[in-house]
Amino acid sequence: MSSIITLITDFGLADPYVGVMKGVMLGINPQAVIVDISHAIEPQNIHQAAFVLSTAYHFFPQGAIHVVIVDPGVGSRRRAIILKTPSAYFVAPDNGILSYVLSPAPVASFGPEPGERELSPELQAIAITNPRFWRHPVSSTFHGRDIFAPVAASLSLGTPLHEFGEVVHFLLAFSPPRPSVDAAGAIIGHIIHIDRFGNLITDVGDNDLPQDDILIEVCDRRIKGLSPSYAEGEELLALIGSDGNLEIAAKNKSAAEMLKARIGDEIRIKRR
Amino acid sequence: MSSIITLITDFGLADPYVGVMKGVMLGINPQAVIVDISHAIEPQNIHQAAFVLSTAYHFFPQGAIHVVIVDPGVGSRRRAIILKTPSAYFVAPDNGILSYVLSPAPVASFGPEPGERELSPELQAIAITNPRFWRHPVSSTFHGRDIFAPVAASLSLGTPLHEFGEVVHFLLAFSPPRPSVDAAGAIIGHIIHIDRFGNLITDVGDNDLPQDDILIEVCDRRIKGLSPSYAEGEELLALIGSDGNLEIAAKNKSAAEMLKARIGDEIRIKRR
Amino acid sequence: MSSIITLITDFGLADPYVGVMKGVMLGINPQAVIVDISHAIEPQNIHQAAFVLSTAYHFFPQGAIHVVIVDPGVGSRRRAIILKTPSAYFVAPDNGILSYVLSPAPVASFGPEPGERELSPELQAIAITNPRFWRHPVSSTFHGRDIFAPVAASLSLGTPLHEFGEVVHFLLAFSPPRPSVDAAGAIIGHIIHIDRFGNLITDVGDNDLPQDDILIEVCDRRIKGLSPSYAEGEELLALIGSDGNLEIAAKNKSAAEMLKARIGDEIRIKRR
């Protein structure tokens, strides 16, 4: 347990929604240390939120509570859940947003629609059903304020997990995107995120790459081999980014603009 | 009293103005817990700031200090004030920005220009005139840094209200927008806020609506009745939003884009 | 020493990079008070970051630690440094980003390219070379997470400066822009920043101006004299801004839009 609560939402920072959630949490745990990870998730984009979470939660102290709200089903019968892993807690709607947390190991096929996945034994999950920890009346449009915020704050005070609701053994999850190998032996990956610098982050991990020299094809351009850093590469370069994924970058420029690249575009890696 | 200080400004987050105010406050009260509500108020838009404040401050703990700075008159003779209500403190220029705090009850007519309003007996206000609590020299362009931030921080330390200046009995306020009823008995409301999701928040409250089935006309479209949640409505739907106001939304889309709606647009509610 | 750590970066707030740095810092010093100054520095714009820092750090308590990361050379052989001044600590790449901190006094010529500058005796600097305080493995693309954040957090715990690496006597610095005087005796300044309100902040300081009445020429417009505040000036006005610099503003409008002004544009000040 920790008094650190992180937030990932699609609420933006212009509206008062995020501030209001913090007000509710501080009313329950005045010692909570609340850290914004991102509120710029595209509205209703569960896949993007899941990916952003996957690149961030490892870097927080043991026992941190991660609240992740992209919730097109708010107010309907979708479940709200707490997931406990050996290192962290997650408070979120049960809509696939925790898919990467549930699938640290590679998954063969890419299935964007979430299905039921059984929890592995080191994980525990609770359906948030006990209204004692909620703010009342509960709005049907803002469970962030009325359910997720107060539950996360109570959790940060040390309330035992089982008090929040009943144990569940299945959560909804999709298969995170993974590269495939084509008939010619080339690795086919995808751009899964474009950051503020215009760097193209792919689903190709460090371990997916051959030890040999490689040739990368992306958006009709070719890149030979990997650079050790942004500064030490060519104008257009490839390197292993800070999360261990293959990344395409441009020196002091936006690779996304240079290549007119978009999320979902293919990247092809061959032996030279 | 509380060590929670919230901020609503039109300063944005790109310039260092907000960070500088936090530096000044932490220099006075290192234990202050400072929460951003919004810094994306349109420059000089006092009405918008007043509305955003009205939807947020209820959710903070008793005694929280709300600093609200949209201040086209900075450096002129406009007053700076502290308002104390039974639940909270407000530190702001006296320019109408606290109008909703002063008018929780419905007001008949919509007057966008602020006039003097006498305080009701449960409220106390002080004109900030004692320079002892200010940062010196006082800039004529940034009272947020030199007056509002240090005064709020001193207030959070428990400094008695009367030390900051003299008691005042009138504050400037405008009448928050309210729906009217036309000759045919229809309720005529207005769109008063459009949030990041493109939801249209109106000035029509839950209590303004008839118990019967209703028909809503907005931007040449008709909506029958209220939906229980975003997920359980039609493509275009109406519901009671998280602040108790009638809201027009589109399922997984922006109602604002779909309807080309703008702040100020009328909405008409009839019995079916 | 202080537990306040401020952040200026070009990371933006959409990606999780800033949140991740906070996670790393809180893992080392759970009591750290982390304050965002700006994450909207234009990618790789070291000059802008240096200027923003110069207008902000004075307002933080004695001993605050300012982490400033705009780092096009990340992963190359550029040095990472800690600078200690009588009032504050700075943790940054050695690329000129601390130029204003090193040059509080006027510098005659404007040199945008950084060169080596000897430190004055009241300053101390350390090259960050001791990997004991880093996060491992160190990514070649995100020293913010793996070097600057953990070093700043360890510094906030009171770790002596010399433990982080060896003393250095020279840092890279450019000469901050300064106004010049032309043959006719007019002061020639430059627009060095445009804020959210469209105010044009120049490199002409309060002390650079003559005591007499002045006439200001900017973007083919003329302004007579200085106004005491935004509210008490003409539609287009000049005043001394909150940092002591000459500023061009428009009453309740954006001077930048009105004048189509851009960073780098000249401003000319003559005696009337």
Side-chain angles (χ1 to χ4, degrees):
Chain A
M1 189 58 51
S2 146
S3 62
I4 293 179
I5 300 173
T6 81
L7 300 177
I8 296 176
T9 75
D10 59 355
F11 295 166
L13 289 172
D15 293 308
Y17 304 138
V18 173
V20 161
M21 284 182 59
K22 293 179 183 174
V24 170
M25 292 192 281
L26 291 169
I28 294 168
N29 182 359
Q31 261 68 54
V33 175
I34 306 168
V35 180
D36 299 305
I37 294 180
S38 177
H39 300 290
I41 304 300
E42 202 178 285
Q44 282 101 33
N45 193 331
I46 293 166
H47 283 74
Q48 188 190 5
F51 175 73
V52 165
L53 173 66
S54 78
T55 67
Y57 75 91
H58 302 290
F59 301 103
F60 283 82
Q62 173 77 21
I65 297 164
H66 304 284
V67 179
V68 197
I69 310 177
V70 174
D71 193 11
V74 62
S76 71
R77 285 162 55 191
R78 70 98 186 84
R79 295 192 302 189
I81 50 168
I82 304 173
L83 174 67
K84 181 182 189 296
T85 74
S87 68
Y89 293 81
F90 300 86
V91 180
D94 181 24
N95 61 12
I97 208 164
L98 303 181
S99 294
Y100 288 86
V101 178
L102 298 176
S103 292
V107 173
S109 65
F110 175 34
E113 286 304 311
E116 289 217 324
R117 178 161 310 171
E118 188 167 8
L119 296 180
S120 51
E122 79 279 13
L123 305 179
Q124 279 179 265
I126 289 286
I128 301 173
T129 51
N130 183 350
R132 183 155 69 88
F133 298 99
W134 307 352
R135 213 191 138 270
H136 296 278
V138 174
S139 155
S140 65
T141 62
F142 195 4
H143 287 188
R145 179 189 72 192
D146 298 334
I147 297 181
F148 295 116
V151 162
S154 296
L155 192 58
S156 77
L157 287 172
T159 306
L161 203 57
H162 64 85
E163 294 200 18
F164 293 99
E166 62 266 20
V167 172
V168 293
H169 297 288
F170 290 82
L171 293 185
L172 287 180
F174 56 82
S175 293
R178 289 285 307 148
S180 56
V181 177
D182 74 3
I187 298 165
I188 312 293
H190 310 86
I191 298 172
I192 52 172
H193 184 68
I194 298 178
D195 74 9
R196 188 188 187 220
F197 298 95
N199 299 323
L200 313 175
I201 291 107
T202 74
D203 56 3
V204 181
D206 200 0
N207 299 331
D208 295 321
L209 292 175
Q211 296 292 317
D212 319 73
D213 274 1
I214 57 173
L215 183 73
I216 297 167
E217 292 172 0
V218 55
C219 300
D220 293 325
R221 294 284 295 265
R222 291 173 155 222
I223 302 169
K224 288 182 189 162
L226 297 178
S227 297
S229 73
Y230 297 128
E232 289 165 294
E234 302 293 311
E235 200 202 3
L236 184 69
L237 59 96
L239 43 60
I240 300 301
S242 58
D243 298 309
N245 283 21
L246 181 68
E247 186 177 317
I248 310 299
K251 202 166 178 171
N252 291 339
K253 282 198 198 124
S254 163
E257 275 181 28
M258 186 188 286
L259 302 179
K260 303 198 195 321
R262 304 180 64 157
I263 288 175
D265 283 356
E266 263 188 30
I267 176 169
R268 215 155 168 274
I269 301 128
K270 300 192 288 195
R271 282 192 176 75
R272 262 158 82 186
Chain B
M1 188 62 49
S2 145
S3 61
I4 293 178
I5 300 174
T6 81
L7 299 177
I8 296 175
T9 76
D10 58 356
F11 294 166
L13 288 172
D15 293 308
Y17 303 138
V18 172
V20 160
M21 284 183 58
K22 293 178 181 173
V24 169
M25 291 192 282
L26 291 169
I28 293 168
N29 182 1
Q31 261 71 52
V33 174
I34 306 169
V35 180
D36 300 305
I37 293 179
S38 176
H39 300 290
I41 304 298
E42 203 179 283
Q44 282 102 33
N45 193 333
I46 293 165
H47 284 73
Q48 188 190 5
F51 175 73
V52 165
L53 173 66
S54 78
T55 66
Y57 75 91
H58 301 290
F59 301 103
F60 284 83
Q62 173 77 20
I65 297 164
H66 304 285
V67 179
V68 197
I69 311 178
V70 174
D71 194 10
V74 61
S76 70
R77 285 162 55 194
R78 70 98 186 84
R79 296 191 302 189
I81 50 167
I82 304 173
L83 174 67
K84 180 180 189 297
T85 73
S87 67
Y89 293 82
F90 300 85
V91 180
D94 181 25
N95 61 12
I97 208 164
L98 303 182
S99 295
Y100 288 85
V101 178
L102 298 175
S103 291
V107 173
S109 66
F110 175 34
E113 286 304 310
E116 289 215 325
R117 178 164 309 173
E118 190 167 6
L119 296 180
S120 51
E122 78 280 12
L123 306 178
Q124 279 180 267
I126 290 286
I128 301 173
T129 52
N130 183 351
R132 183 155 70 86
F133 298 98
W134 307 351
R135 215 191 137 270
H136 297 278
V138 173
S139 155
S140 65
T141 62
F142 195 5
H143 286 189
R145 179 189 72 193
D146 298 333
I147 297 181
F148 295 114
V151 162
S154 296
L155 192 58
S156 76
L157 288 172
T159 307
L161 203 59
H162 65 84
E163 294 200 19
F164 293 98
E166 63 267 19
V167 172
V168 293
H169 297 287
F170 290 83
L171 293 184
L172 288 180
F174 57 81
S175 293
R178 289 285 305 146
S180 56
V181 177
D182 74 2
I187 298 166
I188 311 293
H190 310 87
I191 297 172
I192 53 172
H193 185 69
I194 298 177
D195 74 9
R196 186 187 190 224
F197 298 93
N199 299 324
L200 313 176
I201 291 109
T202 74
D203 56 3
V204 181
D206 200 0
N207 299 329
D208 296 321
L209 293 175
Q211 296 292 317
D212 319 73
D213 273 3
I214 56 173
L215 182 73
I216 298 167
E217 294 172 358
V218 56
C219 300
D220 293 326
R221 295 282 294 264
R222 291 173 156 221
I223 302 169
K224 287 182 191 161
L226 298 178
S227 297
S229 73
Y230 297 129
E232 289 165 294
E234 302 294 311
E235 199 200 4
L236 183 68
L237 59 96
L239 43 60
I240 300 301
S242 58
D243 298 308
N245 283 20
L246 181 67
E247 188 178 315
I248 308 300
K251 202 166 177 172
N252 291 339
K253 284 200 195 120
S254 163
E257 276 181 27
M258 186 187 287
L259 302 179
K260 302 197 195 321
R262 305 180 63 158
I263 288 175
D265 283 356
E266 262 188 30
I267 176 169
R268 214 155 169 274
I269 301 126
K270 299 192 287 194
R271 281 191 177 77
R272 260 158 85 190
Chain C
M1 191 57 52
S2 144
S3 62
I4 293 179
I5 300 174
T6 81
L7 299 177
I8 296 176
T9 76
D10 60 355
F11 295 166
L13 289 172
D15 293 308
Y17 303 138
V18 172
V20 160
M21 285 182 58
K22 293 178 183 175
V24 170
M25 292 192 281
L26 291 169
I28 294 168
N29 183 0
Q31 262 70 52
V33 175
I34 306 169
V35 180
D36 299 306
I37 294 179
S38 177
H39 299 291
I41 303 298
E42 203 178 283
Q44 283 102 33
N45 193 333
I46 294 165
H47 283 73
Q48 188 191 5
F51 175 73
V52 165
L53 173 65
S54 77
T55 66
Y57 74 91
H58 302 290
F59 301 102
F60 283 83
Q62 174 76 21
I65 297 165
H66 304 284
V67 178
V68 196
I69 310 178
V70 174
D71 194 9
V74 60
S76 71
R77 285 162 54 192
R78 70 101 186 83
R79 296 191 302 190
I81 50 168
I82 303 173
L83 174 68
K84 180 182 189 296
T85 73
S87 67
Y89 293 82
F90 300 86
V91 179
D94 182 24
N95 62 12
I97 208 164
L98 303 182
S99 294
Y100 288 85
V101 178
L102 298 174
S103 292
V107 172
S109 65
F110 175 33
E113 286 304 310
E116 289 215 325
R117 178 163 310 170
E118 190 167 8
L119 295 180
S120 50
E122 79 279 14
L123 305 179
Q124 278 178 268
I126 291 285
I128 300 172
T129 51
N130 184 349
R132 183 154 70 87
F133 298 98
W134 307 352
R135 215 192 136 270
H136 297 278
V138 173
S139 155
S140 65
T141 62
F142 194 5
H143 286 188
R145 179 189 73 193
D146 298 334
I147 297 181
F148 295 115
V151 162
S154 295
L155 192 58
S156 77
L157 287 172
T159 307
L161 204 57
H162 65 83
E163 295 200 18
F164 293 98
E166 63 266 19
V167 172
V168 293
H169 297 287
F170 290 82
L171 293 185
L172 287 179
F174 57 80
S175 293
R178 288 285 305 147
S180 57
V181 177
D182 75 2
I187 298 165
I188 311 293
H190 310 87
I191 297 171
I192 53 173
H193 184 69
I194 297 178
D195 74 9
R196 187 189 189 219
F197 298 94
N199 298 325
L200 313 175
I201 291 109
T202 75
D203 57 2
V204 181
D206 200 0
N207 299 329
D208 296 321
L209 293 175
Q211 296 291 316
D212 319 72
D213 274 1
I214 57 173
L215 183 72
I216 298 167
E217 294 172 359
V218 55
C219 300
D220 293 324
R221 294 283 294 263
R222 293 174 153 219
I223 302 169
K224 288 183 189 160
L226 298 178
S227 297
S229 73
Y230 298 128
E232 290 166 294
E234 303 292 312
E235 201 202 1
L236 183 68
L237 59 97
L239 43 60
I240 301 301
S242 58
D243 298 308
N245 283 21
L246 182 67
E247 186 177 316
I248 309 299
K251 202 166 176 171
N252 291 339
K253 285 200 196 122
S254 162
E257 275 181 27
M258 186 188 286
L259 302 180
K260 304 196 193 321
R262 305 181 62 157
I263 288 176
D265 283 356
E266 262 188 29
I267 176 169
R268 217 155 165 272
I269 301 126
K270 299 192 289 194
R271 280 192 178 74
R272 261 157 83 186

